[in-house]
Amino acid sequence: MIPTAAPVDPTDPTDPTDDLVADVFARACPSRRTLEHITGKWGGLALIALTEDTYRFNALRRRVDGVSEKMLAQTLHALERDGLVRREVQTSIPPHVQYSLTPLGSRVAAKLRELIDLVEAEMPTVIAAQERYDRSR
């Protein structure tokens, strides 16, 4: 069984996560949960939107059309916990919160962008396959 990673001090030379071997196919591997956050409907869209700009919550919600306030808040919390999104509180009256990608989030989003570009480019092929499938049923 793969151990779950506990919060650690990144400067600690005895960091127990140094021995962590990620295997997304293993039931207890924490990478499964992170992959779920990234590839879920709202997580992927939020990450891609944040490649375009730093957003305040409501602006991001408008950009990710269709996401509820509750789902976007949950998604951003999960992505922040995974180290992919940075939440920055601006000390103003009223306070403003902005979201941006961390360096890791930028690297993950770049890979996700490649996948999205491929899927969007191949939509005529996908639609033709769907129509063939539906006719055969």
Side-chain angles (χ1 to χ4, degrees):
M1 182 156 98
I2 296 173
T4 57
V8 294
D9 177 359
T11 61
D12 181 359
T14 63
D15 181 352
T17 60
D18 286 344
D19 297 330
L20 179 69
V21 176
D23 179 1
V24 76
F25 292 104
R27 181 185 321 192
C29 184
S31 66
R32 274 193 183 186
R33 194 80 172 123
T34 300
L35 187 61
E36 183 181 321
H37 297 156
I38 294 165
T39 60
K41 181 178 184 178
W42 304 120
L45 294 174
L47 286 171
I48 293 304
L50 289 169
T51 64
E52 302 167 351
D53 203 355
T54 296
Y55 282 97
R56 289 178 53 190
F57 184 86
N58 284 324
L60 182 58
R61 185 166 168 232
R62 284 189 297 277
R63 180 67 181 115
V64 181
D65 190 27
V67 67
S68 70
E69 186 173 324
K70 177 183 176 182
M71 283 308 303
L72 182 57
Q74 289 175 352
T75 299
L76 290 170
H77 287 297
L79 294 172
E80 182 183 8
R81 183 172 185 266
D82 291 337
L84 302 170
V85 169
R86 178 181 305 110
R87 180 181 185 271
E88 186 177 334
V89 179
Q90 305 281 316
T91 54
S92 60
I93 308 244
H96 298 280
V97 177
Q98 293 188 321
Y99 294 90
S100 61
L101 294 177
T102 64
L104 174 60
S106 293
R107 292 195 314 272
V108 169
K111 298 294 185 183
L112 193 54
R113 177 83 257 172
E114 289 178 33
L115 177 60
I116 288 170
D117 290 345
L118 174 64
V119 169
E120 287 178 343
E122 294 297 330
M123 281 313 297
T125 304
V126 170
I127 291 169
Q130 290 171 342
E131 289 170 352
R132 277 192 309 276
Y133 178 87
D134 292 346
R135 280 194 306 270
S136 72
R137 296 284 159 189

